[in-house]
Coordinates of all heavy atoms in Angstrom, one line a residue:
M121 N 0.8 -1.2 0.0 CA 0.0 0.0 0.0 C 0.9 1.2 0.0 O 0.6 2.2 -0.8 CB -0.9 0.0 1.2 CG -1.8 1.2 1.4 SD -3.0 1.3 0.2 CE -3.9 2.7 0.7
M122 N 1.9 1.3 1.0 CA 2.7 2.4 1.0 C 3.6 2.6 -0.3 O 3.8 3.7 -0.7 CB 3.6 2.3 2.3 CG 4.3 3.6 2.6 SD 3.2 4.9 2.9 CE 3.7 5.4 4.5
D123 N 4.0 1.5 -0.9 CA 4.7 1.5 -2.1 C 4.0 2.2 -3.2 O 4.5 3.0 -4.0 CB 5.2 0.2 -2.5 CG 6.5 -0.3 -1.9 OD1 7.1 0.6 -1.2 OD2 6.8 -1.4 -2.0
A124 N 2.7 1.8 -3.3 CA 1.8 2.4 -4.4 C 1.6 3.9 -4.2 O 1.6 4.6 -5.1 CB 0.5 1.7 -4.3
V125 N 1.4 4.3 -2.9 CA 1.3 5.7 -2.6 C 2.6 6.5 -3.0 O 2.5 7.5 -3.6 CB 0.9 6.0 -1.2 CG1 0.9 7.4 -0.8 CG2 -0.5 5.4 -0.9
A126 N 3.7 6.0 -2.6 CA 5.0 6.6 -2.8 C 5.2 6.7 -4.3 O 5.7 7.7 -4.8 CB 6.1 5.8 -2.1
R127 N 4.9 5.6 -5.1 CA 5.2 5.6 -6.5 C 4.2 6.6 -7.1 O 4.7 7.3 -8.1 CB 4.9 4.1 -7.0 CG 5.3 4.0 -8.5 CD 5.1 2.5 -9.0 NE 6.1 1.7 -8.3 CZ 5.7 0.7 -7.5 NH1 4.4 0.5 -7.3 NH2 6.6 -0.1 -6.9
C128 N 3.0 6.6 -6.7 CA 2.1 7.6 -7.4 C 2.5 9.0 -7.1 O 2.5 9.8 -8.0 CB 0.7 7.3 -6.8 SG -0.6 8.4 -7.5
T129 N 3.0 9.3 -5.9 CA 3.4 10.7 -5.5 C 4.6 11.0 -6.4 O 4.8 12.1 -6.8 CB 3.8 10.7 -4.0 OG1 2.6 10.3 -3.2 CG2 4.2 12.1 -3.6
A130 N 5.6 10.1 -6.5 CA 6.8 10.3 -7.3 C 6.5 10.6 -8.7 O 7.0 11.5 -9.3 CB 7.8 9.1 -7.1
D131 N 5.6 9.7 -9.3 CA 5.1 9.9 -10.7 C 4.6 11.3 -10.9 O 4.9 12.0 -11.8 CB 4.1 8.9 -11.1 CG 4.8 7.5 -11.3 OD1 6.1 7.4 -11.4 OD2 4.1 6.5 -11.3
E132 N 3.8 11.7 -10.0 CA 3.1 13.1 -10.0 C 4.2 14.2 -10.0 O 4.1 15.2 -10.6 CB 2.0 13.3 -9.0 CG 1.3 14.5 -8.9 CD 0.5 14.8 -10.2 OE1 0.2 13.8 -10.9 OE2 0.2 16.0 -10.4
A133 N 5.1 14.0 -9.1 CA 6.2 15.0 -8.9 C 7.0 15.1 -10.2 O 7.3 16.2 -10.6 CB 7.1 14.7 -7.7
I134 N 7.3 14.0 -10.8 CA 8.1 14.0 -12.0 C 7.3 14.6 -13.1 O 7.8 15.4 -13.9 CB 8.5 12.5 -12.4 CG1 9.6 12.0 -11.4 CG2 9.0 12.4 -13.8 CD1 9.9 10.6 -11.4
R135 N 6.0 14.3 -13.2 CA 5.1 14.8 -14.3 C 5.1 16.3 -14.1 O 5.2 17.1 -15.1 CB 3.7 14.3 -14.2 CG 2.8 14.6 -15.3 CD 1.4 14.2 -15.1 NE 0.7 14.8 -14.0 CZ 0.3 16.1 -14.0 NH1 0.5 17.0 -15.0 NH2 -0.2 16.6 -12.8
R136 N 4.9 16.9 -12.9 CA 4.8 18.3 -12.7 C 6.2 19.0 -13.0 O 6.2 20.1 -13.5 CB 4.4 18.6 -11.2 CG 2.9 18.3 -11.0 CD 2.6 18.7 -9.6 NE 1.2 18.4 -9.3 CZ 0.5 19.0 -8.3 NH1 1.1 19.7 -7.4 NH2 -0.7 18.6 -8.1
T137 N 7.2 18.3 -12.6 CA 8.6 18.9 -12.9 C 8.8 19.0 -14.4 O 9.2 20.1 -14.9 CB 9.7 18.0 -12.3 OG1 9.5 18.0 -10.9 CG2 11.0 18.6 -12.6
F138 N 8.4 18.0 -15.2 CA 8.6 18.0 -16.6 C 7.7 19.1 -17.2 O 8.0 19.8 -18.1 CB 8.3 16.7 -17.3 CG 9.5 15.7 -17.3 CD1 9.7 14.8 -16.3 CD2 10.5 15.8 -18.3 CE1 10.8 14.0 -16.3 CE2 11.6 15.0 -18.2 CZ 11.8 14.1 -17.3
A139 N 6.4 19.2 -16.7 CA 5.5 20.1 -17.2 C 6.0 21.6 -16.9 O 5.8 22.5 -17.7 CB 4.1 19.9 -16.5
S140 N 6.5 21.8 -15.7 CA 7.1 23.2 -15.4 C 8.2 23.5 -16.4 O 8.5 24.6 -16.6 CB 7.6 23.2 -14.0 OG 8.8 22.5 -13.8
L141 N 9.0 22.5 -16.9 CA 10.0 22.8 -18.0 C 9.4 22.8 -19.4 O 10.2 23.0 -20.3 CB 11.1 21.7 -17.8 CG 11.8 21.6 -16.5 CD1 12.7 20.4 -16.4 CD2 12.7 22.9 -16.3
G142 N 8.2 22.6 -19.5 CA 7.5 22.6 -20.8 C 7.8 21.3 -21.6 O 7.8 21.3 -22.8
L143 N 8.0 20.2 -20.9 CA 8.3 18.9 -21.5 C 7.3 17.9 -21.3 O 6.6 17.9 -20.3 CB 9.7 18.4 -21.0 CG 10.9 19.3 -21.3 CD1 12.0 18.7 -20.5 CD2 11.2 19.4 -22.7
D144 N 7.1 17.0 -22.3 CA 6.2 15.8 -22.1 C 7.1 14.7 -21.7 O 7.9 14.2 -22.5 CB 5.5 15.6 -23.5 CG 4.5 14.4 -23.4 OD1 4.4 13.9 -22.3 OD2 4.0 14.0 -24.4
P145 N 6.9 14.1 -20.5 CA 7.8 13.1 -20.1 C 7.6 11.7 -20.9 O 8.4 10.8 -20.7 CB 7.5 12.9 -18.6 CG 6.1 13.4 -18.5 CD 6.0 14.5 -19.5
H146 N 6.5 11.7 -21.7 CA 6.3 10.5 -22.5 C 6.8 10.6 -23.9 O 6.6 9.7 -24.7 CB 4.7 10.2 -22.5 CG 4.2 10.0 -21.1 ND1 4.5 9.0 -20.2 CD2 3.4 10.8 -20.4 CE1 3.9 9.2 -19.1 NE2 3.2 10.2 -19.2
D147 N 7.5 11.7 -24.2 CA 8.1 11.9 -25.6 C 9.6 11.9 -25.5 O 10.2 12.9 -25.2 CB 7.6 13.2 -26.1 CG 7.9 13.4 -27.6 OD1 8.6 12.5 -28.1 OD2 7.6 14.5 -28.2
P148 N 10.2 10.7 -25.7 CA 11.7 10.6 -25.6 C 12.4 11.7 -26.6 O 13.5 12.1 -26.3 CB 12.0 9.2 -26.0 CG 10.7 8.5 -26.3 CD 9.6 9.5 -26.2
T149 N 11.8 11.9 -27.8 CA 12.5 12.8 -28.7 C 12.6 14.2 -28.1 O 13.6 14.9 -28.2 CB 11.7 12.9 -30.0 OG1 11.5 11.6 -30.5 CG2 12.3 13.8 -31.0
E150 N 11.5 14.6 -27.5 CA 11.5 16.0 -26.8 C 12.5 16.1 -25.7 O 13.1 17.1 -25.6 CB 10.0 16.2 -26.2 CG 9.8 17.6 -25.8 CD 8.3 17.9 -25.4 OE1 7.4 17.3 -26.2 OE2 8.1 18.6 -24.5
I151 N 12.7 15.0 -24.9 CA 13.6 15.0 -23.8 C 15.1 15.0 -24.4 O 15.9 15.8 -23.9 CB 13.4 13.7 -23.0 CG1 12.0 13.6 -22.4 CG2 14.5 13.6 -21.8 CD1 11.6 14.7 -21.5
A152 N 15.3 14.3 -25.5 CA 16.6 14.3 -26.1 C 16.9 15.7 -26.7 O 18.1 16.2 -26.5 CB 16.6 13.2 -27.2
L153 N 16.0 16.3 -27.3 CA 16.2 17.7 -27.7 C 16.5 18.6 -26.6 O 17.3 19.5 -26.7 CB 15.0 18.2 -28.6 CG 14.8 17.5 -29.9 CD1 13.5 18.0 -30.6 CD2 16.0 17.8 -30.8
W154 N 15.8 18.5 -25.5 CA 16.0 19.3 -24.3 C 17.4 19.2 -23.9 O 18.1 20.1 -23.5 CB 15.0 19.0 -23.3 CG 15.1 19.8 -22.1 CD1 14.7 21.1 -21.9 CD2 15.6 19.5 -20.8 NE1 14.9 21.6 -20.6 CE2 15.5 20.5 -19.9 CE3 16.2 18.3 -20.3 CZ2 16.0 20.5 -18.6 CZ3 16.7 18.2 -19.0 CH2 16.6 19.3 -18.2
H155 N 17.9 18.0 -23.8 CA 19.3 17.7 -23.4 C 20.3 18.3 -24.3 O 21.3 18.9 -23.9 CB 19.5 16.2 -23.3 CG 19.0 15.5 -22.0 ND1 19.6 15.7 -20.8 CD2 18.0 14.7 -21.8 CE1 18.9 15.1 -19.9 NE2 17.9 14.4 -20.4
E156 N 20.0 18.3 -25.6 CA 20.9 18.8 -26.6 C 20.9 20.4 -26.5 O 22.0 20.9 -26.6 CB 20.5 18.5 -28.0 CG 20.7 17.1 -28.4 CD 20.2 16.7 -29.8 OE1 19.9 17.6 -30.6 OE2 20.0 15.5 -30.1
D157 N 19.7 21.0 -26.2 CA 19.7 22.4 -26.0 C 20.5 22.8 -24.7 O 21.3 23.8 -24.8 CB 18.3 22.8 -25.8 CG 17.5 22.8 -27.2 OD1 18.1 22.7 -28.2 OD2 16.2 22.9 -27.1
R158 N 20.4 22.1 -23.7 CA 21.2 22.3 -22.4 C 22.6 22.2 -22.7 O 23.4 23.0 -22.3 CB 20.7 21.4 -21.3 CG 19.4 21.8 -20.7 CD 19.1 21.0 -19.4 NE 20.2 20.7 -18.6 CZ 20.7 21.4 -17.7 NH1 20.1 22.7 -17.4 NH2 21.7 21.1 -16.9
A159 N 23.1 21.2 -23.5 CA 24.5 21.0 -23.8 C 25.0 22.2 -24.6 O 26.1 22.7 -24.4 CB 24.7 19.7 -24.5
F160 N 24.2 22.7 -25.6 CA 24.6 23.8 -26.4 C 24.7 25.1 -25.6 O 25.7 25.8 -25.8 CB 23.5 24.0 -27.5 CG 23.9 25.1 -28.4 CD1 24.8 25.1 -29.4 CD2 23.2 26.3 -28.2 CE1 25.2 26.2 -30.1 CE2 23.4 27.5 -29.0 CZ 24.4 27.4 -30.0
I161 N 23.8 25.3 -24.7 CA 23.8 26.5 -23.9 C 25.1 26.4 -23.0 O 25.7 27.5 -22.8 CB 22.5 26.6 -23.1 CG1 21.4 27.0 -24.0 CG2 22.6 27.7 -22.0 CD1 20.0 26.9 -23.4
Q162 N 25.4 25.3 -22.4 CA 26.5 25.2 -21.6 C 27.8 25.4 -22.4 O 28.7 26.2 -21.9 CB 26.6 23.8 -20.9 CG 27.8 23.6 -20.0 CD 27.8 22.3 -19.3 OE1 26.9 21.5 -19.6 NE2 28.9 22.0 -18.5
S163 N 27.8 24.9 -23.5 CA 29.0 25.1 -24.4 C 29.2 26.5 -24.8 O 30.3 27.1 -24.8 CB 28.9 24.2 -25.7 OG 29.9 24.5 -26.6
S164 N 28.1 27.2 -25.1 CA 28.1 28.6 -25.4 C 28.6 29.5 -24.3 O 29.4 30.4 -24.4 CB 26.7 29.1 -25.9 OG 26.3 28.5 -27.0
R165 N 28.1 29.1 -23.0 CA 28.5 29.9 -21.9 C 30.0 29.8 -21.7 O 30.7 30.7 -21.3 CB 27.7 29.4 -20.7 CG 28.0 30.2 -19.4 CD 27.2 29.8 -18.2 NE 27.5 28.3 -17.8 CZ 26.7 27.4 -18.0 NH1 25.5 27.6 -18.4 NH2 27.0 26.2 -17.6
E166 N 30.5 28.5 -21.8 CA 31.9 28.2 -21.5 C 32.8 28.9 -22.6 O 33.8 29.5 -22.3 CB 32.2 26.7 -21.6 CG 31.7 26.0 -20.4 CD 31.7 24.5 -20.5 OE1 32.1 24.0 -21.6 OE2 31.3 23.8 -19.5
G167 N 32.3 28.9 -23.8 CA 33.0 29.7 -24.9 C 33.1 31.1 -24.6 O 34.1 31.8 -24.8
S168 N 32.0 31.7 -24.2 CA 31.9 33.1 -23.8 C 32.9 33.4 -22.7 O 33.6 34.4 -22.7 CB 30.5 33.5 -23.5 OG 30.4 34.8 -23.1
N169 N 32.9 32.6 -21.6 CA 33.7 32.8 -20.5 C 35.2 32.8 -21.0 O 36.0 33.6 -20.5 CB 33.6 31.8 -19.5 CG 32.2 32.0 -18.7 OD1 31.7 33.1 -18.8 ND2 31.7 30.9 -18.1
T170 N 35.6 31.9 -21.9 CA 36.9 31.8 -22.4 C 37.3 33.1 -23.2 O 38.4 33.6 -23.1 CB 37.1 30.5 -23.3 OG1 36.8 29.4 -22.6 CG2 38.5 30.4 -23.9
L171 N 36.4 33.6 -24.0 CA 36.6 34.8 -24.8 C 36.8 36.0 -23.9 O 37.8 36.8 -24.1 CB 35.4 35.0 -25.7 CG 35.5 36.2 -26.6 CD1 36.7 36.2 -27.6 CD2 34.2 36.4 -27.4
V172 N 36.0 36.1 -22.8 CA 36.1 37.2 -22.0 C 37.5 37.1 -21.3 O 38.2 38.2 -21.2 CB 35.0 37.2 -20.9 CG1 35.3 38.2 -19.7 CG2 33.6 37.6 -21.6
R173 N 37.9 36.0 -20.8 CA 39.2 35.8 -20.1 C 40.4 36.2 -21.1 O 41.3 36.9 -20.7 CB 39.3 34.4 -19.7 CG 40.4 34.2 -18.7 CD 40.4 32.8 -18.0 NE 39.9 31.7 -18.8 CZ 38.7 31.1 -18.6 NH1 37.9 31.5 -17.7 NH2 38.3 30.1 -19.4
T174 N 40.2 35.8 -22.4 CA 41.3 36.1 -23.3 C 41.4 37.5 -23.6 O 42.5 38.1 -23.7 CB 41.0 35.3 -24.7 OG1 40.9 33.9 -24.4 CG2 42.1 35.6 -25.7
I175 N 40.2 38.2 -23.7 CA 40.2 39.7 -24.0 C 40.8 40.4 -22.8 O 41.6 41.3 -22.9 CB 38.8 40.2 -24.3 CG1 38.3 39.6 -25.7 CG2 38.6 41.7 -24.2 CD1 36.8 39.9 -25.9
K176 N 40.4 40.0 -21.5 CA 41.0 40.7 -20.4 C 42.5 40.5 -20.3 O 43.2 41.5 -20.1 CB 40.4 40.1 -19.1 CG 38.9 40.6 -18.8 CD 38.4 39.9 -17.6 CE 37.0 40.3 -17.3 NZ 36.5 39.7 -16.1
T177 N 43.0 39.3 -20.6 CA 44.5 39.1 -20.6 C 45.1 39.9 -21.7 O 46.2 40.5 -21.4 CB 44.7 37.6 -20.9 OG1 44.1 36.8 -19.9 CG2 46.2 37.3 -21.0
T178 N 44.5 40.1 -22.9 CA 45.1 40.8 -24.0 C 45.1 42.3 -23.5 O 46.2 43.0 -23.8 CB 44.3 40.7 -25.2 OG1 44.3 39.3 -25.6 CG2 44.9 41.5 -26.3
V179 N 44.1 42.8 -23.0 CA 44.0 44.3 -22.5 C 45.1 44.6 -21.5 O 45.8 45.5 -21.5 CB 42.6 44.6 -22.1 CG1 42.6 46.0 -21.3 CG2 41.7 44.6 -23.3
V180 N 45.1 43.7 -20.5 CA 46.1 43.9 -19.4 C 47.5 43.9 -20.0 O 48.4 44.7 -19.7 CB 45.9 42.9 -18.2 CG1 47.1 42.8 -17.3 CG2 44.6 43.1 -17.5
G181 N 47.8 42.9 -20.8 CA 49.2 42.8 -21.5 C 49.5 44.0 -22.3 O 50.6 44.5 -22.2
S182 N 48.5 44.5 -23.0 CA 48.8 45.7 -23.9 C 49.0 47.0 -23.0 O 49.9 47.7 -23.2 CB 47.6 46.0 -24.8 OG 47.4 44.9 -25.6
L183 N 48.2 47.1 -21.9 CA 48.4 48.3 -21.0 C 49.8 48.2 -20.3 O 50.5 49.2 -20.2 CB 47.3 48.4 -20.0 CG 45.9 48.7 -20.6 CD1 44.9 48.7 -19.4 CD2 46.0 50.2 -21.1
T184 N 50.2 47.0 -19.9 CA 51.4 46.8 -19.2 C 52.6 47.1 -20.2 O 53.5 47.8 -19.8 CB 51.6 45.4 -18.7 OG1 50.5 45.1 -17.8 CG2 52.9 45.1 -18.0
T185 N 52.5 46.7 -21.4 CA 53.5 47.0 -22.4 C 53.6 48.5 -22.7 O 54.7 49.0 -22.7 CB 53.2 46.2 -23.7 OG1 53.1 44.8 -23.4 CG2 54.3 46.5 -24.8
A186 N 52.5 49.1 -22.8 CA 52.5 50.6 -23.0 C 53.1 51.3 -21.8 O 53.8 52.3 -22.0 CB 51.1 51.0 -23.3
I187 N 52.7 50.9 -20.6 CA 53.3 51.6 -19.5 C 54.8 51.4 -19.3 O 55.6 52.3 -19.1 CB 52.6 51.1 -18.1 CG1 51.1 51.6 -18.2 CG2 53.3 51.6 -16.9 CD1 50.2 51.0 -17.1
L188 N 55.2 50.1 -19.6 CA 56.7 49.9 -19.5 C 57.4 50.6 -20.7 O 58.5 51.1 -20.4 CB 56.9 48.3 -19.6 CG 56.5 47.6 -18.5 CD1 56.7 46.1 -18.8 CD2 57.3 47.9 -17.3
F189 N 56.8 50.7 -21.8 CA 57.5 51.5 -22.9 C 57.6 53.0 -22.5 O 58.7 53.6 -22.8 CB 56.7 51.4 -24.2 CG 57.2 52.2 -25.3 CD1 58.4 51.8 -26.0 CD2 56.5 53.4 -25.7 CE1 58.9 52.5 -27.0 CE2 57.1 54.1 -26.7 CZ 58.3 53.7 -27.4
A190 N 56.5 53.5 -21.9 CA 56.5 55.0 -21.5 C 57.6 55.1 -20.4 O 58.4 56.1 -20.4 CB 55.2 55.3 -20.9
I191 N 57.8 54.3 -19.4 CA 58.8 54.3 -18.4 C 60.2 54.2 -19.1 O 61.1 55.0 -18.7 CB 58.6 53.2 -17.4 CG1 57.3 53.5 -16.6 CG2 59.8 53.1 -16.4 CD1 56.9 52.4 -15.7
W192 N 60.4 53.3 -20.0 CA 61.7 53.1 -20.7 C 62.0 54.4 -21.5 O 63.2 54.8 -21.5 CB 61.6 51.9 -21.6 CG 62.8 51.6 -22.2 CD1 63.1 51.7 -23.6 CD2 64.1 51.1 -21.7 NE1 64.5 51.4 -23.8 CE2 65.0 51.0 -22.7 CE3 64.3 50.7 -20.3 CZ2 66.3 50.5 -22.4 CZ3 65.7 50.2 -20.1 CH2 66.6 50.2 -21.1
S193 N 61.1 55.0 -22.1 CA 61.2 56.2 -22.9 C 61.8 57.4 -22.0 O 62.7 58.1 -22.4 CB 60.0 56.6 -23.7 OG 59.7 55.7 -24.7
V194 N 61.2 57.4 -20.8 CA 61.6 58.5 -19.9 C 63.0 58.2 -19.4 O 63.8 59.1 -19.3 CB 60.6 58.6 -18.7 CG1 61.1 59.4 -17.6 CG2 59.2 59.0 -19.2
I195 N 63.3 57.0 -19.1 CA 64.6 56.6 -18.6 C 65.6 56.9 -19.8 O 66.8 57.4 -19.4 CB 64.7 55.1 -18.2 CG1 63.9 54.8 -17.0 CG2 66.1 54.5 -18.1 CD1 63.7 53.4 -16.6
Q196 N 65.3 56.6 -21.0 CA 66.2 56.9 -22.1 C 66.3 58.3 -22.5 O 67.1 58.7 -23.3 CB 65.8 56.0 -23.3 CG 65.9 54.6 -23.1 CD 67.4 54.1 -22.8 OE1 68.3 54.5 -23.5 NE2 67.6 53.3 -21.7
G197 N 65.4 59.2 -21.9 CA 65.4 60.6 -22.3 C 64.6 61.0 -23.5 O 64.7 62.0 -24.0
H198 N 63.8 60.0 -24.0 CA 63.0 60.3 -25.2 C 61.6 60.7 -24.7 O 61.0 59.8 -24.0 CB 62.9 59.1 -26.0 CG 64.3 58.6 -26.5 ND1 65.0 59.3 -27.4 CD2 64.9 57.4 -26.3 CE1 66.1 58.6 -27.6 NE2 66.1 57.5 -26.9
T199 N 61.1 61.7 -25.0 CA 59.8 62.2 -24.6 C 59.0 62.2 -25.9 O 59.4 62.6 -26.9 CB 59.7 63.5 -23.9 OG1 60.3 64.5 -24.8 CG2 60.4 63.5 -22.6
S200 N 57.7 61.8 -25.7 CA 56.9 61.9 -26.9 C 56.1 63.2 -26.9 O 55.5 63.6 -26.0 CB 55.9 60.7 -26.9 OG 55.1 60.8 -25.7
S201 N 56.3 63.9 -28.0 CA 55.6 65.2 -28.1 C 54.9 65.3 -29.4 O 55.3 64.8 -30.4 CB 56.6 66.4 -28.1 OG 57.4 66.4 -26.9

């Protein structure tokens, strides 16, 4: 008796969870597409994070190089006018 109640409750919870995600739990194709979409979104997010990290590194490197060049020019007695 308790197993049947627990199973029914679990089935209802799963059905509601899938429904809240806009999915039909009885359609394997829809579930597979949902998994593919999630994988694509995760891949896009990771690619975006990598791009941001690369841009930040490039900007910091460029600024450091410019500052070091300016300091070196002052040390050498060359001023930019």
Side-chain angles (χ1 to χ4, degrees):
M121 175 71 176
M122 192 59 125
D123 277 347
V125 171
R127 189 175 296 115
C128 183
T129 303
D131 288 345
E132 180 63 19
I134 291 169
R135 188 188 64 72
R136 286 185 182 193
T137 301
F138 276 99
S140 72
L141 296 171
L143 299 171
D144 178 8
H146 302 293
D147 184 1
T149 304
E150 192 173 320
I151 303 299
L153 288 174
W154 182 76
H155 280 288
E156 288 176 19
D157 288 346
R158 284 188 36 88
F160 177 78
I161 290 169
Q162 180 178 0
S163 174
S164 295
R165 184 180 62 248
E166 290 170 355
S168 176
N169 289 342
T170 301
L171 179 62
V172 167
R173 193 170 33 255
T174 302
I175 290 171
K176 285 179 180 179
T177 302
T178 302
V179 168
V180 168
S182 297
L183 289 174
T184 303
T185 302
I187 290 169
L188 289 174
F189 178 75
I191 292 170
W192 182 253
S193 293
V194 170
I195 291 172
Q196 295 298 313
H198 303 291
T199 57
S200 57
S201 298

